[in-house]
Amino acid sequence: MTAAVALSAGLAGAAPALAAAPGAMSATSATGQDGAVAAVSKGATWHCSKGGFTGYIYINYTRQSGRADKVNWVQYKIVKGRSHGGNKADVTWGDGGVVPRLAYKTHRGKQDGQWHWLGGSYSRGGGDYGFSFTFDKSHASDPHCGKALGNRLP
C-alpha cells in the first residue's frame, strides 16, 4: 500500500496551505535592545491521499538552540472530495523526539475540509515523527495513509 506524501516547509504563512491554518502566524522576528533576534516561528505541512480522501497535518514550531525545537501546535484537515463519509476519522501525530513518545490522537476527525486543533505545545529533541489517517468512508472499508518522517523538523 503506497501513499502519496508531500512536504511543504518554510516560514508560516509563506505558502497558501499554511496561511489557511487557523491561528497561523506570520513569521516575524523581533530585535531586542541588545540587538539579539528572537526565534522565528515556522510551519510545515504534510499530506497523504487514499481512497479519494486527502489528509493534511500542519505543525507550527520554533527552532531553539542546540537540537531542541518547540512545537507550538498541531492541526489537521481532511478533504473528502467526492467520497462519502462521516466525521469519525482517526488522526494521529506521533513524535519520538519526546520521552516517553508523544501521540496526539482523535477518533472523531472531521472530514469537512477545515483546519482542526489536534494538540498543543511541547519541546522535542531529535527523534522520529510522523502521522497517520484512517478516513471514515460510508459503506466501505476505511482507507488509511500516513508517513514516518525523519528525526529533525524541516
Side-chain angles (χ1 to χ4, degrees):
M1 182 184 314
T2 304
V5 178
L7 163 68
S8 170
L11 299 177
L18 302 182
M25 303 182 319
S26 298
T28 58
S29 59
T31 304
Q33 290 180 351
D34 61 358
V37 176
V40 175
S41 174
K42 298 180 178 189
T45 301
W46 298 269
H47 74 273
C48 65
S49 300
K50 190 72 171 184
F53 294 83
T54 302
Y56 297 85
I57 287 285
Y58 170 82
I59 64 166
N60 178 279
Y61 68 97
T62 305
R63 182 86 61 216
Q64 296 178 335
S65 63
R67 292 191 44 85
D69 293 313
K70 179 181 178 200
V71 174
N72 300 309
W73 67 82
V74 180
Q75 294 174 288
Y76 76 92
K77 170 170 82 167
I78 298 173
V79 177
K80 61 182 175 180
R82 298 172 70 185
S83 298
H84 297 284
N87 288 316
K88 293 184 181 175
D90 294 334
V91 181
T92 302
W93 168 259
D95 196 330
V98 179
V99 176
R101 184 175 181 84
L102 174 132
Y104 289 142
K105 298 180 182 184
T106 184
H107 299 295
R108 296 194 170 277
K110 297 180 188 265
Q111 302 182 142
D112 60 2
Q114 302 297 314
W115 287 103
H116 298 280
W117 179 265
L118 189 60
S121 178
Y122 67 93
S123 292
R124 70 177 313 276
D128 65 322
Y129 59 97
F131 64 94
S132 69
F133 290 92
T134 301
F135 304 109
D136 183 18
K137 191 166 190 172
S138 297
H139 311 295
S141 60
D142 293 339
H144 175 84
C145 69
K147 181 70 175 175
L149 302 167
N151 64 5
R152 185 84 168 127
L153 297 178

